[in-house]
Amino acid sequence: MSFFEKLETFAYRNIVVPLQGRTTFDFVGEHYSKGMKVLDFGCGTGSNSKLFHSEDYIGSEVDISRVESSREKYPKYKFEKIPIINSSKNLLPWEDNSFDMIFVSLCLHHINTKSCKLIFKEFRRVLKNDGKILGIEPALIDGKYFSNILMNILDAGDYILPLDKYKNMYRSESFKTNHINIVKTFGYNLWQYSSVVVGDKSTEFKNDKTSIRKITKPIHLLGLYGKWLVLIFVIYTTIDFLINMFGSV
Ligand SMILES: C[S@@+](CC[C@H](N)C(=O)[O-])C[C@H]1O[C@@H](n2cnc3c(N)ncnc32)[C@H](O)[C@@H]1O
């Protein structure tokens, strides 16, 4: 793991995860019971593994540095590196009908529609017949202008969508989605939902970045790279100050 990957993982685990507010994930307990086989898709640094029993849980992640960090921090749990799914040749490394639940937390808004549809096809394949998806995503809410803009400035994901768009994207891969709740945390509106398979057809669903994202992306990028520039500047000026102070003694 490179120094910057370690720094990003550290910042994500110690700043972003605590800001999410862990009660946000309490709803999982109402849908999961011990013995259900769970795939945590896009598990990040593994912090949600604790919501499940270790024997039931597999965390999957495309970012190997996060997989390694999760394995270190939660040694009782299983974490797997998976391929980025952006063509029908990329498959999840599990057999058909493997899971009772697929948990998708704060992940879809990082992925474009074409890839989401391929991922949903894979979800359909690896879910058991009576299995379900349990998810939580930041969502644009009508009339909530401030948080809609703030989420798009703070978040790295290019695809924060209105609830209906997420639902329609699932529907286009034969999932029926049920609204659970919307919770507010640190300027975010997080939509909790569950989805079940109701068929095996794929229909067309096209989508692009929202206009809010197109406008706010430059501000997001400034914050993203600016923080490392500020850190380097602070370290440089501190060292320079110390050298000048003690070097001249
Ligand atoms: C905001 S993190 C969420 C992590 C974790 N699920 C949580 O709730 O804390 C989003 C995760 O999605 C993963 N991700 C990004 N693009 C992806 C893709 N195309 N396919 C699968 N996972 C992806 C990232 O590696 C990242 O760990």
Side-chain angles (χ1 to χ4, degrees):
M1 225 196 288
S2 77
F3 172 73
F4 276 101
E5 280 172 335
K6 273 190 180 158
L7 211 56
E8 281 287 354
T9 300
F10 178 85
Y12 185 78
R13 178 172 279 151
N14 293 288
I15 300 170
V16 180
V17 170
L19 283 175
Q20 282 161 1
R22 303 319 288 168
T23 51
T24 306
F25 294 92
D26 285 352
F27 78 111
V28 173
E30 287 155 32
H31 296 263
Y32 160 77
S33 51
K34 192 171 187 301
M36 290 169 77
K37 289 286 162 220
V38 178
L39 174 66
D40 182 0
F41 182 82
C43 65
T45 53
S47 53
N48 292 328
S49 59
K50 289 175 292 177
L51 300 168
F52 306 95
H53 289 270
S54 55
E55 318 87 79
D56 296 341
Y57 177 92
I58 297 180
S60 66
E61 204 4 270
V62 294
D63 178 342
I64 186 65
S65 66
R66 291 187 171 186
V67 173
E68 285 168 359
S69 160
S70 304
R71 283 177 183 156
E72 254 171 54
K73 176 121 197 213
Y74 306 100
K76 283 192 180 156
Y77 289 81
K78 212 170 159 194
F79 299 95
E80 298 280 342
K81 160 93 174 72
I82 53 164
I84 290 183
I85 298 181
N86 48 25
S87 102
S88 51
K89 288 187 194 133
N90 309 127
L91 301 177
L92 292 175
W94 292 284
E95 302 198 336
D96 299 3
N97 303 314
S98 294
F99 297 100
D100 298 289
M101 180 187 283
I102 300 178
F103 183 56
V104 192
S105 164
L106 313 176
C107 193
L108 297 182
H109 69 288
H110 290 277
I111 307 173
N112 66 39
T113 301
K114 183 173 165 261
S115 297
C116 276
K117 283 174 67 64
L118 292 166
I119 289 166
F120 292 169
K121 275 199 182 83
E122 275 299 272
F123 285 175
R124 231 164 48 195
R125 182 181 69 76
V126 298
L127 263 180
K128 292 183 187 170
N129 285 342
D130 55 353
K132 69 174 160 191
I133 292 171
L134 192 66
I136 178 165
E137 287 298 325
L140 301 181
I141 310 286
D142 279 348
K144 302 270 183 191
Y145 304 110
F146 180 70
S147 50
N148 289 348
I149 292 170
L150 186 64
M151 286 188 293
N152 272 286
I153 290 176
L154 294 176
D155 205 284
D158 277 337
Y159 302 95
I160 300 179
L161 305 179
L163 305 193
D164 282 349
K165 286 250 166 100
Y166 285 123
K167 276 189 186 175
N168 290 342
M169 190 159 68
Y170 270 113
R171 184 177 303 135
S172 74
E173 289 301 331
S174 293
F175 282 90
K176 183 177 180 299
T177 301
N178 292 312
H179 170 89
I180 297 175
N181 199 6
I182 295 169
V183 290
K184 203 168 166 51
T185 170
F186 189 60
Y188 275 66
N189 291 307
L190 298 176
W191 177 49
Q192 302 167 333
Y193 66 90
S194 67
S195 286
V196 290
V197 180
V198 290
D200 58 4
K201 287 200 183 71
S202 298
T203 54
E204 193 174 58
F205 176 78
K206 286 197 170 160
N207 193 32
D208 193 9
K209 288 179 193 133
T210 61
S211 49
I212 300 181
R213 181 60 176 182
K214 285 178 189 159
I215 294 166
T216 54
K217 176 104 185 207
I219 309 172
H220 167 74
L221 290 176
L222 196 68
L224 186 68
Y225 295 111
K227 68 177 184 278
W228 298 124
L229 289 179
V230 170
L231 184 68
I232 289 165
F233 178 74
V234 168
I235 292 171
Y236 170 79
T237 46
T238 310
I239 291 172
D240 190 48
F241 171 78
L242 291 173
I243 288 174
N244 281 332
M245 199 166 153
F246 295 107
S248 58
V249 177

